[in-house]
Amino acid sequence: MNQQQLIEQYVAGTLAEAEAEAFEVSCLEDVELARQVEFEQRLKAGFEQVARGSTAEFVRSESTLSWRLAAAASVVLFLCAAVYLWQRLPGAHPQVLAALTSTMEQDGPSLRLALVRGAESAPRLPAGEVRVEIVGLFDPGSDYSVMLDRLRQQRETANIATLHGQHPTSPVTLEIMVDSDQLAPGTYSLRVIKQASDEEALDFIFEK
Amino acid sequence: MDFIPGGELSRRIREGDVSAESELIRQFEPGLRVLLRRRTGGDHGLLQDLVQETLLVVIQRLRGVGIDDPQKLAAFAAQTARNLAIASLRKAERQKTDVDSEATERKPDSSRGVESQVGDHEAALAVRALLRELPQARDRLMLKRFYLEDHDKEQICQEMQLTEAAFNQALSRARRRFRQILEERGFAKRDLLNLGL
């Protein structure tokens, strides 16, 4: 067995315990070997973490044209939304969005929003008080704003509500409540922005 | 830098040579991270703590009574790290409200919850960047099967009609690029700086 195979088997956990322990001692005696193993461990861990969000990252289409179009559309959409919001105070219907306040809310209807590359259809918001679980990488020490916009034809957006000062429930999850019954059928955008930061916003689309 | 044998390191530390202690940390820290990463289930904070604790225990031992066979210093450090990882697991199990008497006999679980796995955001970001850069769906699928589904190489090559050489080449390219992305963003170096003994 060559060194690369040993590394792969150690990281995959398929080496026998005695062999694994001997290999660990070799890592303590060889800094470069240890670094190679650690990169392999982190590569595997990175894949596992990415896959927890969605496996769509691995099977996206090879066409880049659609991505460029989508990116361009997102920029246009963002500019329209920014201009519109600039001219109008947000929060016209603040009761549509609410912070998650009780564990009881875990039992009701829910919707999981994750960045799914190449997804062909937007998820559908169920009826009632819906717990929306937003998946991304969040800083637990920071506040986030969540903006709910309705997307209309001719690239218009209408802000429905904005919720400030939201804390992630975990470093990979931010949860809010959406009162689905107050929303008319249509396409909506949910934007998550880290407050006091220039970090890129997370944008999700869903249907009602 | 050259590798300094355990016997020499042990002797110099016993004699009060502080530079030998720094050398021991430089030599052993990467290997301890490997060993403890496997036993801490992706909990980055616990990993850092245990690496530091192991190095402190080893250095204090060498400053004091020393070890039976200084030539086997690496094996001693490795066993110290394993013991500390087990002790840490037992402590965590004791802190649980429901007592599980079998828990202390179990090995650390490498598939712990999402919260404990989030320490390595950087690796996830680098993997995302890597996947974005891969032009062929076949390569992404191949990596998914290898790293996520733990299929062995032969099986993947057979199913995807790849030669082993083509598989190894793609894998090696992905590894190089992953390492490059992490190093470009300073993540790998930052990890080393975190070890402020």
Side-chain angles (χ1 to χ4, degrees):
Chain A
M1 200 187 303
N2 66 31
Q3 193 177 69
Q4 187 57 49
Q5 288 169 323
L6 260 177
I7 293 173
E8 287 167 8
Q9 291 198 13
Y10 177 78
V11 173
T14 54
L15 274 184
E17 197 53 34
E19 281 181 288
E21 290 191 359
F23 182 73
E24 285 167 345
V25 174
S26 302
C27 288
L28 263 74
E29 291 172 338
D30 183 342
V31 171
E32 185 47 38
L33 170 63
R35 292 210 194 293
Q36 279 182 44
V37 181
E38 188 173 18
F39 276 109
E40 187 74 4
Q41 287 174 321
R42 296 185 73 185
L43 183 55
K44 185 169 169 59
F47 270 95
E48 287 165 355
Q49 200 162 328
V50 168
R52 267 183 219 116
S54 162
T55 52
E57 303 244 15
F58 302 102
V59 292
R60 68 179 159 82
S61 160
E62 286 184 43
S63 164
T64 55
L65 180 62
S66 57
W67 281 105
R68 288 178 186 158
L69 286 172
S74 300
V75 170
V76 171
L77 210 58
F78 175 79
L79 290 175
C80 290
V83 169
Y84 188 80
L85 292 170
W86 186 257
Q87 295 169 342
R88 171 185 166 137
L89 283 173
H93 306 285
Q95 69 276 24
V96 176
L97 291 185
L100 191 76
T101 54
S102 149
T103 51
M104 295 294 285
E105 288 163 344
Q106 306 269 355
D107 299 330
S110 66
L111 175 70
R112 189 164 192 264
L113 293 177
L115 293 173
V116 181
R117 226 172 266 281
E120 288 180 358
S121 60
R124 186 161 288 277
L125 187 73
E129 295 267 339
V130 183
R131 179 173 59 86
V132 176
E133 182 191 357
I134 302 162
V135 179
L137 293 180
F138 301 104
D139 177 2
S142 296
D143 288 341
Y144 289 80
S145 295
V146 181
M147 295 163 63
L148 177 65
D149 293 339
R150 181 162 182 206
L151 306 183
R152 291 179 174 154
Q153 289 181 340
Q154 297 171 337
R155 294 170 182 169
E156 282 182 9
T157 61
N159 180 246
I160 305 296
T162 301
L163 202 58
H164 297 290
Q166 295 305 296
H167 294 286
T169 41
S170 86
V172 290
T173 315
L174 192 148
E175 292 173 295
I176 57 161
M177 297 300 295
V178 177
D179 188 349
S180 177
D181 296 342
Q182 294 196 45
L183 299 176
T187 305
Y188 292 84
S189 150
L190 202 65
R191 163 162 287 209
V192 184
I193 303 168
K194 185 175 175 183
Q195 290 176 209
S197 158
D198 56 359
E199 268 186 28
E200 202 178 341
L202 290 172
D203 284 313
F204 304 89
I205 304 286
F206 65 85
E207 300 280 346
K208 164 69 199 306
Chain B
M1 244 185 258
D2 294 334
F3 176 78
I4 301 176
E8 187 184 336
L9 272 181
S10 300
R11 178 185 55 75
R12 284 171 53 191
I13 291 173
R14 185 84 191 266
E15 290 168 356
D17 182 349
V18 179
S19 71
E21 294 180 358
S22 301
E23 184 56 33
L24 179 139
I25 293 167
R26 186 196 70 80
Q27 275 185 201
F28 286 178
E29 187 267 342
L32 289 174
R33 291 175 63 82
V34 164
L35 182 157
L36 289 165
R37 190 177 285 276
R38 188 167 184 246
R39 289 166 171 78
T40 50
D43 186 331
H44 204 58
L46 179 62
L47 166 68
Q48 297 282 12
D49 288 349
L50 288 175
V51 169
Q52 292 199 31
E53 207 176 334
T54 304
L55 289 168
L56 280 172
V57 168
V58 172
I59 288 171
Q60 281 169 354
R61 178 73 178 260
L62 293 175
R63 281 175 185 167
V65 296
I67 62 173
D68 293 342
D69 187 352
Q71 300 301 327
K72 293 183 178 169
L73 180 58
F76 174 78
Q79 194 52 49
T80 302
R82 287 183 205 115
N83 293 343
L84 288 172
I86 292 167
S88 162
L89 177 73
R90 286 181 172 154
K91 188 178 168 189
E93 293 292 346
R94 272 200 306 272
Q95 284 170 347
K96 285 186 180 173
T97 50
D98 53 334
V99 177
D100 178 358
S101 58
E102 291 176 6
T104 52
E105 304 306 320
R106 287 200 296 264
K107 289 190 173 159
D109 183 2
S110 62
S111 57
R112 291 163 59 175
V114 171
E115 278 69 17
S116 67
Q117 303 276 355
V118 296
D120 213 350
H121 285 169
E122 296 90 346
L125 290 172
V127 165
R128 283 204 171 90
L130 176 69
L131 289 170
R132 274 199 300 272
E133 288 177 13
L134 287 175
Q136 291 193 23
R138 189 198 66 171
D139 288 354
R140 288 191 294 277
L141 194 58
M142 187 198 85
L143 292 173
K144 176 175 175 266
R145 290 193 178 175
F146 187 70
Y147 285 110
L148 273 182
E149 295 162 9
D150 290 326
H151 291 180
D152 64 38
K153 280 184 184 177
E154 278 180 20
Q155 189 185 357
I156 298 170
C157 289
Q158 201 174 7
E159 286 171 6
M160 299 183 71
Q161 296 179 323
L162 286 166
T163 64
E164 195 179 334
F167 179 92
N168 286 335
Q169 200 179 18
L171 198 58
S172 165
R173 228 176 10 239
R175 283 180 179 133
R176 263 201 315 275
R177 185 59 191 133
F178 175 75
R179 187 167 179 163
Q180 198 181 6
I181 293 168
L182 279 181
E183 286 176 344
E184 276 169 5
R185 300 172 83 152
F187 294 144
K189 284 171 189 160
R190 196 189 72 181
D191 283 341
L192 298 179
L193 292 172
N194 280 344
L195 197 85
L197 272 183

